[in-house]
Amino acid sequence: MAVIESLSPLLAISCPFICVFLILLFRKRPNIRESCTMLASIMQFLIVFSMAPIIVAGNVIECPLFTIFTGLDFIFRVDAFGLIFAITSSFLWILVSSYSIGYMRSLHEHAQTRYYACFALAIFGAVGIALSKNLITMYFFYEALTISTYPLVAHNGLAEWGHKQEQSEQAEEARFAGRKYLAYLITSGWFFFVAIVLTFYLAGTTDFENGGILTVASASRMILMTLFALFMLGSMKAAWMPFHSWLPTAMAAPTPVSALLHAVAVVKAGVFVVVRIVCYIYGIELMGAIGLGVILVSIAAFTMIVASLMAIAQDNLKKRLAYSTISQLSYILFGVALLNTMGVQGAMLHIPFHGFMKITLFMCAGAIIVVTGKKNVSEMAGIGRTMPVTMTAFTVGALGMSGIPPVCGFISKWYLGLGTLEAHSLGLLAVLMISSLLDIVYFFPIIYTAFFGKPEGWTESGNKNENTKINEASIFMLVPLAMTAIFSIIFCLFPNTFYILDLVKLAVAGLGGGV
Amino acid sequence: MIPYLLLQTLAVPVIAALFILLTRRILGRKVRFVPCITLLYTTALLFIAGISVYQGTPIQEVYTWGPNVGFGLLADGLSLPVALIINIICTALSFYSLHYVEHRIEVIYGEEDEKTQLSYHTTYFWLYFLFPVSFLGICFATNLIMIYLFIELLVIPLYFIMSYFGYVERFRVAVMCFLWGIVGGTFVLFGSVLAYSEMGSFELSELHTLAGNPMTFWIILLILLGLFTKMAVFPLHVWMPSVHAEHPTCIAGLLAVYANIAAYVIVRALILPLYDDFKVFGTPIMIMALLTIIYGAILTLAQNDVKRLCACSTISQISYSLLGLGALTVWSIEGGIFYFLSHILGKAILFSTAGIVVYVTGIRDMNKLGGLIHKMPISAVLWITAAAILTGVPLTSGFTGKWILFTGVFAAYPTYVGMSIAILGILSTILTAIYTFGAAKRIFFGPLKPEFANDTKIRDPPLTMSVPLLILAVISFIIGLYPEPFMELIHSVIGLL
């Protein structure tokens, strides 16, 4: 394994960062502003993707930035696992940008410059997290991500620069969501920092290493468990129960933001951090030796089941999707907590796959809001007749979520299932199955209502009136959501698209130890 | 090398103060530029000294003062960085004072005749010189009696400036400040005299002979009591909120130094020579520090007055340094000193920005402020920078300080007590974030109050007020991003432990 020094990670990070300034510069010219976003996102994806062949060949790319003090190194390192997340977020950024243009313009949203700038900053944070070599660098981007998403979450409640604040109920709700979001995630960031300092004290370094940097000899079992608790509190972004409630509240944000939050940046960063900690700080072996795997798997199993049950009760489509995300994120935690090859492989695959499927679902929900203004599932009877493309994409996403082939959710769940068998635990397999079943329970009524429900004004004679004409969202929104749906299928048929499967296998092979 | 370099840094300001006194009738209002020029000169001198010390030759100057009492000045790796940063803050605030004092005199003595106003004017500027002199004196002192003298000397300008230029109830608060200052100083004196009776000398360099002596416990206890009074450690913090808040804002930043410099004295006079005897105090100090951090932060959260907010925050910020000192590991002590420097930089900016807000709007109640960023962008940037420094946002000096400090604290006690203290200590910095950024939101963000909307007086202050603070912010970023020279200097002394 050769270490190659290259500036590519820095370039990848600087794309969205420079883009922020360009967006602010062209705030008066919306078309140029949006082309900046598009250009930056495409460039970033190309840069990130150009690193993939090098990594697949078994190398590691490093890019040291600067050292402030002993332990405070800012350094990038691209390894297989980080690259998966980087590819996912940078690719989805392209699609979400296009979708945002359609969404924001159709709804004539205010403060679009702030919106695009914060969006780019959030991607900056997410890709930075993916490419960090150590906890300190990661912490920096982690906080950047938290802060940059706040204006996005509270978008509807924050007035445009220099304007008066809106006093409507919706605005108040958005402001509340923003406050809640900050309260949870900033607190969480602090726990993360405590954990980092403690890790540095125990291990003398904060670099991610295959097989972990902590050992049984580092500290007593109690201290290692306390540290893990701190780390878990530090990753409230992963929305594990009982620290999940910020996520459904954050649905007050515009839909592209929800898509970003749920599929690309924020929550994925949370689970990414957990995987990093389990596999690269503690190491699989240590996790098993001190019994942390069992604790993590219990948390994950609890969240999977309870969140799915809560999803069934939601009528608001976005809220239902939010609870679905909480449940699906725990699949990833679940897979990692199994502490074996198949489980970790399933977890790592689920990060990009869930991203693609969930973003499809959210973009569909947003398209429905833009076209019809309907937010609740119960109002969506017959919507599949007027918006066939959208609802087909939605169906693809929903099938994938429930783990039905030929959508990529099947593959990750397959590996998770194998993982439970490898762990010799039929109980866990049962949890996985029940949870998948619950996914079907809350997704299929939507599909059923959409395609087979009778819209208002529908007459038996079948004459076409206003309510049954095809009425899709703009092309800017339609293309991205169709693309992600198609990609969800492609990933199932050819899991090695974008080298994803190779990268995952490489990452898992590198873990060593008990795997 | 410049002759009498260290003596110059003390003597030149004294001479300049006399110069102001003598020529105040001739120069009139122009005297206000004398402190700026003088302090720029001494800062330059300290830079030169810094280069020499960095190259490995500490500067020592010895003068005789009286029988048994020498008058030595020592600039080594520990005292020089502290002195340099303090002097830079003094310089910055002397520029800041130019307009502020004029405004304050206009408010209080606006009805007096021109001559009286002028005399107040000059009074402020010659008294101002006593601050840098005393601070540098404490930093460079080589014996206990000098430290005591300079600590007491600090109280004098504080008292007069408070009673001449202070805010609400200024005479009462001035007396309060004076009494607490004297009491604290007296305890230091008791301790010093006790040390003298045991070893027959006041020299810091001979203090190590006291190691293991049964009296040492009491010596340390007395000096600590005195210094804790200065540092406003709970429950000796009573004076801090009013004194710190009611001072004219141009010296409020110096008050943070006044309180926090005791951390330096603890390291210099107690920890370095008497490390083993000091160990007994380690855990109690850490617990007191933690209590003060949390108590101070909660006190701050309850404030509506923008100046009182900054004042109360000093209580909790100082105790971070104290927490590091109590942990007694090399890193934690270095972190304590570094955090002290970062805190005084951040606090000088924060408090002076609060001063700018009061100077421009005349309002201290944060509930009546809001949306000022649209009118005063530079001030908003300053406040947010200061908040970032105090909270320890990555890339500022506060973050680096916090990192060094807490890795040291973790290393101190690999037991549950120590670990919980360290964890709680870091977690309580979130309170700092809440009150500094929360105040930023209340003052600068949100809708602009209608009464400010058309007021042309509400705008950024003159450049002499904002630029020095911006320079302080830049310095904080520099030592945050590139702390190595500073840490090497400090390590050259503390690493010997």
Side-chain angles (χ1 to χ4, degrees):
Chain A
M1 188 176 75
V3 176
I4 298 171
E5 287 219 2
S6 154
L7 277 179
S8 309
L10 187 62
L11 289 176
I13 299 292
S14 47
C15 277
F17 194 66
I18 295 168
C19 176
V20 172
F21 295 102
L22 289 178
I23 288 171
L24 294 177
L25 191 67
F26 291 114
R27 61 185 177 279
K28 297 262 160 60
R29 326 236 335 236
N31 287 338
I32 299 182
R33 184 182 66 193
E34 265 83 302
S35 9
C36 286
T37 306
M38 289 305 291
L39 199 68
S41 59
I42 292 169
M43 270 177 59
Q44 190 193 24
F45 175 68
L46 290 179
I47 294 170
V48 169
F49 193 63
S50 72
M51 291 190 275
I54 306 173
I55 304 294
V56 170
N59 305 308
V60 168
I61 296 176
E62 280 209 5
C63 173
L65 284 187
F66 55 90
T67 302
I68 290 181
F69 194 69
T70 322
L72 288 183
D73 308 292
F74 282 81
I75 180 163
F76 292 122
R77 183 172 66 180
V78 191
D79 63 356
F81 177 51
L83 196 63
I84 299 170
F85 185 40
I87 288 180
T88 314
S89 18
S90 56
F91 184 69
L92 291 180
W93 187 30
I94 305 177
L95 300 177
V96 180
S97 306
S98 152
Y99 182 80
S100 293
I101 297 171
Y103 185 91
M104 299 303 275
R105 293 198 175 174
S106 308
L107 290 185
H108 305 290
E109 288 278 350
H110 64 288
Q112 293 197 18
T113 304
R114 183 185 72 206
Y115 171 87
Y116 286 109
C118 288
F119 214 104
L121 212 55
I123 297 291
F124 164 75
V127 177
I129 290 172
L131 303 182
S132 305
K133 187 193 176 184
N134 55 28
L135 284 170
I136 279 292
T137 321
M138 187 185 246
Y139 171 71
F140 175 72
F141 289 106
Y142 196 73
E143 293 284 284
L145 178 58
T146 309
I147 291 161
S148 61
T149 14
Y150 164 72
L152 296 174
V153 170
H155 182 85
N156 293 331
L158 297 178
E160 198 160 348
W161 195 241
H163 288 59
K164 228 176 138 45
Q165 265 186 342
E166 221 182 310
Q167 293 304 333
S168 68
E169 197 179 318
Q170 194 203 5
E172 195 46 58
E173 192 195 330
R175 280 196 285 272
F176 172 73
R179 279 199 300 274
K180 193 165 178 182
Y181 177 83
L182 267 195
Y184 269 89
L185 295 192
I186 293 277
T187 317
S188 150
W190 246 266
F191 278 105
F192 194 46
F193 181 67
V194 178
I196 293 171
V197 181
L198 189 51
T199 312
F200 178 69
Y201 161 62
L202 293 176
T205 169
T206 59
D207 290 359
F208 302 123
E209 301 272 355
N210 284 332
I213 52 173
L214 293 167
T215 59
V216 186
S218 304
S220 70
R221 183 163 175 263
M222 270 315 281
I223 287 182
L224 286 175
M225 291 184 84
T226 317
L227 176 61
F228 192 73
L230 289 171
F231 267 125
M232 283 307 284
L233 285 172
S235 44
M236 279 183 208
K237 278 201 175 79
W240 50 279
M241 287 190 168
F243 297 103
H244 65 284
S245 77
W246 60 271
L247 188 55
T249 321
M251 286 303 102
T255 310
V257 175
S258 313
L260 167 93
L261 243 83
H262 286 242
V264 192
V266 179
V267 292
K268 282 293 151 56
V271 286
F272 181 83
V273 167
V274 176
V275 176
R276 275 287 194 212
I277 285 155
V278 171
C279 297
Y280 299 85
I281 294 291
Y282 275 77
I284 302 280
E285 241 176 297
L286 181 62
M287 288 289 289
I290 54 177
L292 283 172
V294 183
I295 297 175
L296 187 58
V297 95
S298 328
I299 294 175
F302 175 79
T303 312
M304 277 157 70
I305 302 282
V306 176
S308 300
L309 289 173
M310 287 169 98
I312 298 173
Q314 303 297 325
D315 190 29
N316 183 317
L317 179 56
K318 280 174 74 181
K319 286 233 163 110
R320 190 178 287 194
L321 292 177
Y323 279 104
S324 153
T325 305
I326 296 172
S327 151
Q328 294 287 330
L329 289 172
S330 281
Y331 279 70
I332 298 166
L333 301 187
F334 182 84
V336 168
L338 292 174
L339 304 179
N340 56 43
T341 327
M342 287 300 162
V344 175
Q345 191 164 336
M348 287 182 174
L349 280 174
H350 208 52
I351 290 181
F353 290 177
H354 171 250
F356 275 87
M357 296 182 297
K358 191 41 74 56
I359 209 164
T360 315
L361 295 175
F362 267 108
M363 293 203 284
C364 294
I368 295 171
I369 292 175
V370 167
V371 175
T372 66
K374 288 173 183 168
K375 288 182 176 170
N376 293 333
V377 177
S378 51
E379 301 163 10
M380 289 179 188
I383 210 156
R385 297 167 205 253
T386 57
M387 304 176 72
V389 180
T390 309
M391 284 321 288
T392 311
F394 189 93
T395 311
V396 170
L399 287 176
M401 283 291 161
S402 328
I404 297 171
V407 190
C408 54
F410 167 68
I411 299 208
S412 41
K413 283 198 184 165
W414 171 257
Y415 281 116
L416 288 177
L418 287 179
T420 57
L421 294 180
E422 203 177 315
H424 305 295
S425 171
L426 284 177
L428 292 178
L429 183 62
V431 168
L432 194 67
M433 290 298 133
I434 293 172
S435 175
S436 294
L437 195 66
L438 289 172
D439 287 345
I440 298 179
V441 172
Y442 62 78
F443 272 125
F444 277 54
I446 307 175
I447 300 171
Y448 180 80
T449 338
F451 284 111
F452 303 105
K454 290 188 176 126
E456 287 168 48
W458 173 262
T459 50
E460 282 303 321
S461 54
N463 61 331
K464 297 204 167 181
N465 63 10
E466 272 305 299
N467 286 327
T468 53
K469 255 190 210 147
I470 302 260
N471 182 15
E472 287 279 7
S474 83
I475 195 89
F476 278 116
M477 301 169 74
L478 213 53
V479 169
L481 66 88
M483 290 255 298
T484 50
I486 293 167
F487 267 108
S488 303
I489 296 173
I490 292 179
F491 276 129
C492 182
L493 305 176
F494 311 101
N496 208 17
T497 318
F498 296 149
Y499 300 102
I500 296 275
L501 193 62
D502 278 351
L503 288 170
V504 169
K505 281 188 173 153
L506 202 65
V508 173
L511 288 179
V515 182
Chain B
M1 207 61 211
I2 299 165
Y4 310 116
L5 196 151
L6 297 180
L7 188 64
Q8 275 195 48
T9 58
L10 295 181
V12 171
V14 173
I15 294 167
L18 289 174
F19 175 75
I20 291 183
L21 264 183
L22 294 176
T23 60
R24 64 187 189 277
R25 301 259 180 268
I26 309 162
L27 288 177
R29 295 208 171 208
K30 284 192 203 98
V31 295
R32 60 195 180 141
F33 294 108
V34 177
C36 307
I37 298 160
T38 318
L39 289 173
L40 278 178
Y41 173 67
T42 53
T43 308
L45 283 181
L46 285 173
F47 256 113
I48 296 167
I51 293 166
S52 149
V53 174
Y54 190 63
Q55 283 163 349
T57 44
I59 305 172
Q60 184 153 24
E61 293 171 12
V62 184
Y63 309 95
T64 22
W65 186 15
N68 294 332
V69 184
F71 178 82
L73 297 172
L74 170 71
D76 62 1
L78 179 61
S79 55
L80 195 97
V82 178
L84 182 62
I85 294 288
I86 292 178
N87 211 45
I88 289 174
I89 292 177
C90 289
T91 318
L93 291 181
S94 71
F95 280 97
Y96 178 88
S97 303
L98 296 178
H99 278 89
Y100 200 91
V101 170
E102 209 159 6
H103 148 81
R104 201 62 209 139
I105 290 173
E106 216 175 274
V107 172
I108 307 180
Y109 305 106
E111 288 159 12
E112 309 276 338
D113 57 34
E114 179 62 25
K115 206 177 152 194
T116 328
Q117 284 196 26
L118 188 67
S119 83
Y120 281 120
H121 209 88
T122 46
T123 311
Y124 175 83
F125 284 104
W126 77 261
L127 280 173
Y128 187 86
F129 274 121
L130 294 182
F131 289 111
V133 170
S134 321
F135 289 143
L136 295 193
I138 294 173
C139 289
F140 293 140
T142 55
N143 59 41
L144 284 170
I145 209 73
M146 301 264 310
I147 291 181
Y148 163 72
L149 275 176
F150 283 117
I151 285 180
E152 290 290 41
L153 183 63
L154 267 178
V155 182
I156 295 167
L158 275 182
Y159 174 78
F160 284 108
I161 290 183
M162 178 73 222
S163 48
Y164 283 145
F165 308 102
Y167 282 78
V168 190
E169 289 197 309
R170 56 182 200 266
F171 300 115
R172 194 179 71 84
V173 177
V175 172
M176 186 176 177
C177 167
F178 189 72
L179 284 181
W180 278 90
I182 294 293
V183 169
T186 311
F187 274 108
V188 176
L189 181 65
F190 284 157
S192 311
V193 172
L194 197 57
Y196 181 78
S197 71
E198 287 296 311
M199 65 177 186
S201 157
F202 284 115
E203 290 301 313
L204 291 175
S205 53
E206 287 176 33
L207 219 52
H208 63 88
T209 54
L210 284 176
N213 191 316
M215 283 310 276
T216 315
F217 177 82
W218 298 104
I219 295 170
I220 296 179
L221 186 68
L222 282 170
I223 296 183
L224 271 185
L225 261 181
L227 294 176
F228 280 1
T229 318
K230 300 273 175 190
M231 291 174 93
V233 174
F234 179 81
L236 302 171
H237 66 282
V238 190
W239 60 277
M240 181 62 109
S242 354
V243 171
H244 205 1
E246 307 308 337
H247 257 287
T249 322
C250 38
I251 63 155
L254 297 181
L255 242 145
V257 184
Y258 163 80
N260 213 339
I261 200 168
Y264 167 80
V265 179
I266 291 179
V267 175
R268 171 64 78 188
L270 301 178
I271 294 180
L272 282 179
L274 300 168
Y275 182 75
D276 289 321
D277 297 86
F278 198 81
K279 273 186 182 153
V280 194
F281 295 93
T283 316
I285 287 183
M286 281 173 80
I287 293 170
M288 280 176 81
L290 187 66
L291 276 179
T292 315
I293 287 172
I294 295 171
Y295 174 80
I298 292 172
L299 195 64
T300 319
L301 282 173
Q303 304 300 325
N304 279 327
D305 177 338
V306 57
K307 288 186 72 182
R308 260 189 125 77
L309 175 113
C310 305
C312 292
S313 112
T314 306
I315 297 176
S316 92
Q317 292 292 317
I318 288 177
S319 284
Y320 283 105
S321 313
L322 193 61
L323 186 66
L325 302 190
L328 284 174
T329 59
V330 172
W331 272 39
S332 75
I333 296 171
E334 289 175 11
I337 294 289
F338 195 88
Y339 198 88
F340 153 46
L341 299 180
S342 162
H343 163 230
I344 55 178
L345 282 170
K347 189 49 65 59
I349 303 171
L350 189 81
F351 223 130
S352 308
T353 314
I356 290 175
V357 170
V358 179
Y359 169 82
V360 172
T361 63
I363 298 173
R364 286 173 60 171
D365 187 348
M366 285 193 285
N367 292 331
K368 294 180 185 157
L369 295 165
L372 286 181
I373 190 169
H374 301 294
K375 292 273 192 171
M376 308 165 66
I378 298 178
S379 317
V381 167
L382 279 171
W383 183 284
I384 290 168
T385 318
I389 295 170
L390 291 179
T391 314
V393 172
L395 307 186
T396 63
S397 58
F399 179 71
T400 316
K402 214 164 70 171
W403 172 261
I404 303 169
L405 178 68
F406 281 108
T407 37
V409 174
F410 269 122
Y413 293 90
T415 61
Y416 281 100
V417 184
M419 198 144 280
S420 359
I421 289 180
I423 291 175
L424 285 175
I426 310 183
L427 282 181
S428 53
T429 52
I430 197 171
L431 296 172
T432 318
I434 296 174
Y435 65 69
T436 49
F437 286 101
K441 184 174 170 287
R442 290 166 77 180
I443 301 171
F444 293 105
F445 292 94
L448 186 66
K449 291 273 146 111
E451 58 267 33
F452 299 145
N454 297 317
D455 194 338
T456 47
K457 272 189 284 179
I458 312 280
R459 60 191 158 86
D460 270 319
L463 288 181
T464 49
M465 288 175 100
S466 53
V467 170
L469 301 180
L470 284 173
I471 291 172
L472 291 185
V474 170
I475 290 172
S476 160
F477 276 102
I478 291 173
I479 66 170
L481 281 173
Y482 189 55
E484 267 189 42
F486 264 81
M487 290 310 294
E488 264 175 44
L489 279 174
I490 297 174
H491 193 75
S492 69
V493 176
I494 296 185
L496 300 177
L497 276 179

